[in-house]
Amino acid sequence: MGLLSEGSPLNWEETKKLSDHVRKHGIIQFINLYKRLRDREGDVLKWGDEVEYILVKFNDSEKTAKVSLRAEKYLSQLQEKEHNDPSNVKSLWRPEYGAYMIEGTPGKPYGGLLAHFNVVEANMQYRRQEATKLLEPGEVLMSLTNFPRLGADDFTDPPAFPAPYFGPSRSLFFPNEAIFSGHPRFKTLTRNIRSRRGEKVAINLPIYKDKNIKLPFKEDLATLGDDGTSEKAAKENHVYMDAMGFGMGCCCLQLTFQACNIEEARTLYDQLTPLCPIMLALTAASPFYRGYITDVDCRWNVISCSVDCRTAEERGLEPLKENKFHINKSRYDSIDSYLSEQGDRYNDVPLIYDENIFKQLLDNGIDRLLSQHIAHLFIRDTVSLFSEKVQQNDLEDTDHFENIQSTNWQTMRFKPPPSNSSIGWRVEFRPCEVQITDFENAAIVCFVVLLTRVILSYKLNLLIPISKVDENMARAQKKDAVKLEKFWFKRDITCNTQQGDIKDEFTEYSIDEIVNGKEGTFPGLIPLVNSYLSSMDADADTHCTIQRYIKLIQRRASGELLTTASWLRQEVTKHPEYRRDSIISQKINYDLLKKIHDIETNKVSCPELLGPCTISKTSETVPVAMTKAENCSIPH
Ligand code: ADP
Ligand code: MG
Ligand code: MG
Ligand code: MG
Ligand code: MG
């Protein structure tokens, strides 16, 4: 969504007073939108990726790598083309949470031709080059899920210092200057989430206990200016973090798909849900936080805690007085309910929602499943409101709805068509961590898009109880989950009959078995994708590109290739200056990021991460002849 609303942010007291106003009008706006658009039909498959990047500044004489806080300057340059000629750009650029981050998407969504798979990587390369051209000497754009020393001593360029007693974060580690300030949204969210919670956010990740770490591991926070609150929140033998920036300052890879109608959007939303933890484990890329090696491989729980605005009452630590509900998850978390009729029987987690809102939605002709989904999203207060946007025309505007919707950051998002646009019902797939190279990111994107086609064409059913998906989310983030963990998955994804005991419908598989198949037991996602592809007639280059992507996914899943997280661990622990103390020093960080940059620019090869063949046949555009003649247009 990029620039959601612009204007003057209200302070927390003002925002809080208007929270019922936003909810009330947000629901009315949704009802109006739904009535207008529920019967919308015939939209075609369109889809697009979002890649988030970090700006890194190398200093080769001092051997340091720091985040460069200059995203705003580059963003305004990058957006100039779009402002002048919005329908003719090959890329779109948006601000992100960090003052060192930017987000890039293709200029237009892709469509239903197989040949589009051959354009994805070239477009990612184009974006990277387009931004890279603007940078200062020593600056590099990197698609890294987390900057390893984010929040460690001296990690920004220019230098900035944490401010425990003023500004939005009040962090002992994360300076306010590291928050993007070209748009008020990010600092406003930071301040309001902290204010609503009544204290700083708290993130504790188990530290990796290497041989020379002094146990118990406990930092002296008082020397950093702690008044005792952090001391209380920090857990022993954990890496403690205390700011929204530690989570929202991470980068990810997202995908959005347009469905032909609302029903198909519900189906996709549901069917992709069990794949979220699987893809999270496969794309795991963030074992390092605040300059330490941790015992987790993914960012997910870090972001979840980093925007956890629930009060102590809502978290169940105190009896309810001021607040209405006990809420079991942060507003950033995995989804809590399926939306399709087929999904209903797998909704086994009690949903929390306001009965009055639920009833109002039902009374307006919205079915129970969608009503409970919306009512559940609307248990949250707005945490970012702009004075210009308070009064709205509920028949046309959807800002209040979007306000709550877009601050429920979940694994999947059900996106209604925006008002006054030609865009249809869409779903967004949000779990993936971003990879180092465009090749890997393109592979993941194309794999997930192909899965959606396979699911729809073969009418697969991947649904398992929501509680099991939640269990899988926890497993996915564990160190080396691809190799070591098993995941709940549907026994027979080709079976659509719904009878018998749900417990018999799923069992535990390794990622290898889920992706590559298990002889006589489970067909495997890739064999299904291949069978789907064999019924179509891709041109030679596209075929070759897709097969390279599929090979990468297969090898990551089988453990033949390392996940990004495992590879990162390996690089740090074998560094000559690593002292087996779980610390990533400036020099180790510098060498690691240099090597990542060399891999990304093809200066060095990295077969343990990428496999033998990464030569690209990807092209910048789909040839015109092909857009007309291609007979392998993806059935829809
Ligand atoms: P958000 O940040 O809210 O998820 P963005 O605008 O950053 O949204 O990204 C949306 C993604 O959806 C982009 O990849 C874009 O190419 C893609 N997209 C744009 N229009 C459509 C459409 N009609 N159907 C599907 N995807 C679309
Ligand atoms: Mg976006
Ligand atoms: Mg983003
Ligand atoms: Mg983000
Ligand atoms: Mg998005």
Side-chain angles (χ1 to χ4, degrees), residues 237-380:
N237 295 334
H238 285 68
V239 177
Y240 164 72
M241 294 166 275
D242 64 348
M244 180 166 166
F246 284 107
M248 284 297 185
C250 290
C251 294
C252 68
L253 173 67
Q254 296 173 337
L255 276 158
T256 298
F257 311 92
Q258 179 167 282
C260 61
N261 56 30
I262 188 172
E263 287 313 317
E264 190 183 84
R266 288 168 186 246
T267 299
L268 276 176
Y269 180 90
D270 287 4
Q271 296 295 335
L272 288 172
T273 292
L275 291 171
C276 289
I278 309 305
M279 291 311 296
L280 181 60
L282 264 175
T283 58
S286 50
F288 308 143
Y289 294 86
R290 257 192 65 222
Y292 292 105
I293 308 176
T294 72
D295 247 342
V296 305
D297 272 359
C298 299
R299 79 201 188 288
W300 191 267
N301 278 351
V302 177
I303 315 193
S304 179
C305 295
S306 84
V307 291
D308 190 354
C309 67
R310 291 173 302 161
T311 63
E313 292 180 19
E314 287 170 331
R315 280 177 281 141
L317 302 174
E318 290 170 15
L320 288 175
K321 280 206 306 267
E322 299 267 302
N323 297 121
K324 267 194 194 154
F325 311 107
H326 279 141
I327 305 177
N328 48 359
K329 284 181 185 174
S330 160
R331 59 199 299 153
Y332 190 112
D333 217 312
S334 47
I335 68 155
D336 288 304
S337 70
Y338 291 116
L339 287 179
S340 68
E341 267 173 48
Q342 196 181 18
D344 197 17
R345 68 197 294 261
Y346 305 94
N347 283 331
D348 66 336
V349 171
L351 268 196
I352 297 140
Y353 52 76
D354 184 315
E355 282 295 337
N356 292 328
I357 291 179
F358 178 60
K359 193 161 171 307
Q360 186 188 357
L361 291 162
L362 287 180
D363 289 347
N364 278 280
I366 302 175
D367 60 280
R368 181 176 53 83
L369 288 166
L370 186 54
S371 295
Q372 67 179 24
H373 167 70
I374 299 293
H376 178 57
L377 297 183
F378 273 71
I379 58 176
R380 311 289 172 175

Side-chain angles (χ1 to χ4, degrees), residues 50 56 79 85 175 202 266 291 351 360 382-383 385 448 451 467 490 501 519 535 540 567 626:
E50 296 167 67
V56 171
Q79 289 183 322
D85 193 4
R266 288 168 186 246
L351 268 196
Q360 186 188 357
T382 171
V383 273
L385 191 59
V448 177
L451 284 176
S467 63
K490 192 91 166 177
D501 196 341
E519 189 81 52
S535 65
W567 180 80
M626 210 178 279

Side-chain angles (χ1 to χ4, degrees), residues 302-545:
V302 177
I303 315 193
S304 179
C305 295
S306 84
V307 291
D308 190 354
C309 67
R310 291 173 302 161
T311 63
E313 292 180 19
E314 287 170 331
R315 280 177 281 141
L317 302 174
E318 290 170 15
L320 288 175
K321 280 206 306 267
E322 299 267 302
N323 297 121
K324 267 194 194 154
F325 311 107
H326 279 141
I327 305 177
N328 48 359
K329 284 181 185 174
S330 160
R331 59 199 299 153
Y332 190 112
D333 217 312
S334 47
I335 68 155
D336 288 304
S337 70
Y338 291 116
L339 287 179
S340 68
E341 267 173 48
Q342 196 181 18
D344 197 17
R345 68 197 294 261
Y346 305 94
N347 283 331
D348 66 336
V349 171
L351 268 196
I352 297 140
Y353 52 76
D354 184 315
E355 282 295 337
N356 292 328
I357 291 179
F358 178 60
K359 193 161 171 307
Q360 186 188 357
L361 291 162
L362 287 180
D363 289 347
N364 278 280
I366 302 175
D367 60 280
R368 181 176 53 83
L369 288 166
L370 186 54
S371 295
Q372 67 179 24
H373 167 70
I374 299 293
H376 178 57
L377 297 183
F378 273 71
I379 58 176
R380 311 289 172 175
D381 283 347
T382 171
V383 273
S384 144
L385 191 59
F386 297 85
S387 57
E388 295 81 350
K389 297 282 178 176
V390 175
Q391 298 308 326
Q392 302 201 348
N393 175 353
D394 290 338
L395 285 172
E396 286 171 16
D397 299 330
T398 55
D399 271 70
H400 288 321
F401 168 70
E402 284 294 341
N403 186 316
I404 303 297
Q405 153 101 334
S406 71
T407 51
N408 271 273
W409 295 280
Q410 300 181 328
T411 36
M412 297 294 307
R413 186 175 285 162
F414 188 67
K415 292 175 163 177
S419 38
N420 301 321
S421 80
S422 59
I423 300 175
W425 290 90
R426 292 150 303 149
V427 297
E428 187 180 14
F429 187 73
R430 305 165 49 84
C432 294
E433 308 228 313
V434 76
Q435 312 292 296
I436 292 169
T437 65
D438 297 323
F439 166 62
E440 297 162 277
N441 288 319
I444 291 157
V445 164
C446 293
F447 177 58
V448 177
V449 180
L450 281 167
L451 284 176
T452 65
R453 298 309 101 188
V454 172
I455 287 167
L456 293 177
S457 312
Y458 295 166
K459 299 200 171 26
L460 299 182
N461 177 8
L462 281 66
L463 305 184
I464 58 172
I466 286 283
S467 63
K468 294 292 164 198
V469 179
D470 281 350
E471 272 183 47
N472 284 349
M473 282 300 289
R475 296 177 183 186
Q477 301 177 58
K478 292 192 181 163
K479 188 167 60 189
D480 245 342
V482 167
K483 280 193 190 148
L484 302 179
E485 296 293 318
K486 295 233 171 191
F487 293 83
W488 299 111
F489 212 76
K490 192 91 166 177
R491 271 182 210 277
D492 183 1
I493 57 180
T494 59
C495 173
N496 268 291
T497 54
Q498 307 206 330
Q499 41 188 260
D501 196 341
I502 287 181
K503 279 209 274 320
D504 299 330
E505 289 183 23
F506 55 87
T507 186
E508 287 176 304
Y509 290 121
S510 67
I511 297 257
D512 184 28
E513 290 164 344
I514 294 169
V515 171
N516 293 316
K518 183 178 180 183
E519 189 81 52
T521 309
F522 187 76
L525 300 175
I526 296 252
L528 286 167
V529 166
N530 274 330
S531 129
Y532 170 82
L533 285 169
S534 68
S535 65
M536 277 186 297
D537 207 3
D539 67 282
D541 284 353
T542 302
H543 176 79
C544 165
T545 301

Side-chain angles (χ1 to χ4, degrees), residues 9-13 15-16 168 186-198 309 382-385:
L10 299 177
N11 70 29
W12 173 238
E13 285 311 313
T15 306
K16 190 174 169 183
F186 304 106
K187 285 187 175 165
T188 305
L189 282 170
T190 311
R191 183 195 61 211
N192 289 352
I193 284 171
R194 182 177 49 75
S195 305
R196 189 185 189 286
R197 181 179 165 94
C309 67
T382 171
V383 273
S384 144
L385 191 59

Side-chain angles (χ1 to χ4, degrees), residues 67 113 144 331 454:
V67 295
L113 299 177
L144 264 190
R331 59 199 299 153
V454 172

